[in-house]
């Protein structure tokens, strides 16, 4: 699908485009992927640009002398251009997530489709070619963006078994964009919410901070509650549910609802 994304502009975009151009001229496939494509399609200005390519980490390092191998075992190289940084990741397949976070086996591939289907949510799986200005959607991400739906790529239970933090990320994306979480995806979160305890406190903290400092933080807390995640990660906040307040002073409801409303007011 041909579509010029007007929100792709500026120095960072031009630098990312130059990386893709150089990869292409060296015989490799390369696309923009993830949040930058999603945000541009939603009319937002991307904060960073991630690149996915058929080039191996060694080939990326050979092409771009200023680089940092931040995740070489997973095929991720940080390419530096002036004071800008770009993650360049090799197309890959992943298997065996014994720790609920890291794959036990990583295999590089030259197929962008095989790479996309391992990702988390459909809205993050759309590829963009800045050279031809073509969009490539192998996971129905464009349809879910249009409908306002957060849906895992493939089986929701499998995606959450691979990385438990994706359960909180689903809530974060849904609240930030005022989207609805797909029923199968939400039911999988409710089924697996207790497994979030296997994720490090630091990673959980980072996601929660993003939820309460972005748009619709109150809705984010409510979704965490409805999914069962709130009780697991913020038990003290969970205890606010059902704690009554004098109705003449707080007609909005219990202490939890009051807290959600306060967070929404703080955002605005």
């Amino acid at each position: 699908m041909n579509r010029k994304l007007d929100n792709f502009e500026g120095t960072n975009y031009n630098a990312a485009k130059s990386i893709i151009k150089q990869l292409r001229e060296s015989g490799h496939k390369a696309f923009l992927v993830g949040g930058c494509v999603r945000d541009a399609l939603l009319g937002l200005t991307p904060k960073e640009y991630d690149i996915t390519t058929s080039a191996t980490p060694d080939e990326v390092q050979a092409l771009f002398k200023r680089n940092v191998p931040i995740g070489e075992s997973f095929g991720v190289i940080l390419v530096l251009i002036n004071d800008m940084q770009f993650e360049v990741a090799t197309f890959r397949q992943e298997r065996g997530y014994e720790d609920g976070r890291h794959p036990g086996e990583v295999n590089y591939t030259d197929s962008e489709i095989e790479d996309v289907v391992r990702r988390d949510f459909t809205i993050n799986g759309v590829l963009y070619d800045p050279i031809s200005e073509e969009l490539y959607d192998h996971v129905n991400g464009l349809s879910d963006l249009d409908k306002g739906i957060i849906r895992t790529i493939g089986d929701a239970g499998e995606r959450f078994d691979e990385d438990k933090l994706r359960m909180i990320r689903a809530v974060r994306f849904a609240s930030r964009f005022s989207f609805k979480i797909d029923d199968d995806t939400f039911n999988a979160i409710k089924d697996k919410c207790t497994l979030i305890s296997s994720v490090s406190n630091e990673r959980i903290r980072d996601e929660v901070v993003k939820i309460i400092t972005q748009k619709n933080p109150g809705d984010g807390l409510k979704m965490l509650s409805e999914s069962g995640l709130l009780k697991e990660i913020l038990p003290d906040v969970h205890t606010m549910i059902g704690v009554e307040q004098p109705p003449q002073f707080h007609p909005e409801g219990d202490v939890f609802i009051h807290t959600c409303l306060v967070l929404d007011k703080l955002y605005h």
Side-chain angles (χ1 to χ4, degrees):
M1 178 187 299
N2 186 270
R3 186 187 300 187
K4 182 176 176 60
L5 299 183
D6 294 335
N7 291 76
F8 278 159
E9 58 184 17
T11 304
N12 282 7
Y13 171 65
N14 290 333
K17 184 176 179 179
S18 73
I19 292 173
I20 290 176
K21 186 170 186 274
Q22 191 166 344
L23 286 163
R24 292 285 183 79
E25 290 173 349
S26 299
H28 307 293
K29 299 177 185 178
F31 306 91
L32 291 174
V33 69
C36 64
V37 181
R38 176 200 67 220
D39 288 355
L41 287 166
L42 291 172
L44 305 171
T45 300
K47 295 180 179 178
E48 57 189 17
Y49 293 89
D50 291 337
I51 297 165
T52 185
T53 179
S54 59
T56 65
D58 288 343
E59 289 169 332
V60 172
Q61 288 181 290
L63 277 173
F64 305 98
K65 300 306 180 184
R66 294 188 63 217
N67 68 79
V68 180
I70 58 170
E72 194 172 7
S73 60
F74 301 106
V76 183
I77 303 296
L78 197 67
V79 173
L80 311 177
I81 296 181
N82 297 325
D83 61 346
M84 296 171 286
Q85 303 178 347
F86 301 90
E87 286 192 10
V88 179
T90 301
F91 298 159
R92 66 187 187 270
Q93 295 175 304
E94 300 175 343
R95 296 181 179 86
Y97 294 78
E98 284 81 9
D99 65 354
R101 178 184 177 188
H102 299 106
E105 180 183 346
V106 174
N107 296 311
Y108 299 141
T109 174
D110 63 358
S111 168
E112 64 272 25
I113 298 176
E114 290 179 346
D115 181 75
V116 164
V117 297
R118 70 169 177 82
R119 294 175 180 269
D120 54 5
F121 304 107
T122 60
I123 64 169
N124 296 331
V126 181
L127 302 169
Y128 185 69
D129 178 352
I131 310 300
S132 66
E133 297 180 350
E134 290 275 345
L135 284 166
Y136 297 90
D137 180 15
H138 305 291
V139 294
N140 294 320
L142 292 173
S143 174
D144 284 344
L145 279 169
D146 289 339
K147 295 175 182 177
I149 294 175
I150 303 297
R151 187 195 316 271
T152 57
I153 296 173
D155 183 80
E158 291 179 8
R159 295 293 83 77
F160 296 140
D161 283 338
E162 291 166 353
D163 186 346
K164 310 297 190 301
L165 197 66
R166 286 172 172 169
M167 294 187 284
I168 304 180
R169 284 167 56 82
V171 171
R172 173 161 66 86
F173 290 133
S175 58
R176 175 187 174 191
F177 299 125
S178 298
F179 281 12
K180 177 185 181 296
I181 300 178
D182 161 70
D183 288 343
D184 288 343
T185 300
F186 197 67
N187 287 335
I189 296 174
K190 290 193 287 186
D191 289 343
K192 295 179 178 291
C193 63
T194 58
L195 302 180
I196 196 67
S197 61
S198 65
V199 179
S200 72
N201 291 333
E202 292 79 11
R203 295 183 78 213
I204 292 174
R205 174 204 62 204
D206 291 346
E207 288 296 323
V208 170
V209 167
K210 289 176 182 177
I211 289 174
I212 63 177
T213 58
Q214 68 177 15
K215 188 178 179 182
N216 303 318
D219 287 344
L221 274 189
K222 291 173 188 174
M223 276 187 271
L224 287 175
S225 173
E226 293 163 2
S227 67
L229 287 167
L230 187 70
K231 184 178 181 180
E232 303 298 324
I233 63 176
L234 293 172
D236 290 343
V237 177
H238 173 74
T239 61
M240 296 178 182
I241 298 172
V243 177
E244 296 182 0
Q245 303 181 104
Q248 64 270 35
F249 301 116
H250 297 283
E252 71 277 3
D254 64 20
V255 174
F256 178 70
I257 295 299
H258 177 83
T259 301
C260 292
L261 291 172
V262 169
L263 284 173
D264 285 336
K265 292 292 185 182
L266 288 173
Y267 176 82
H268 294 294

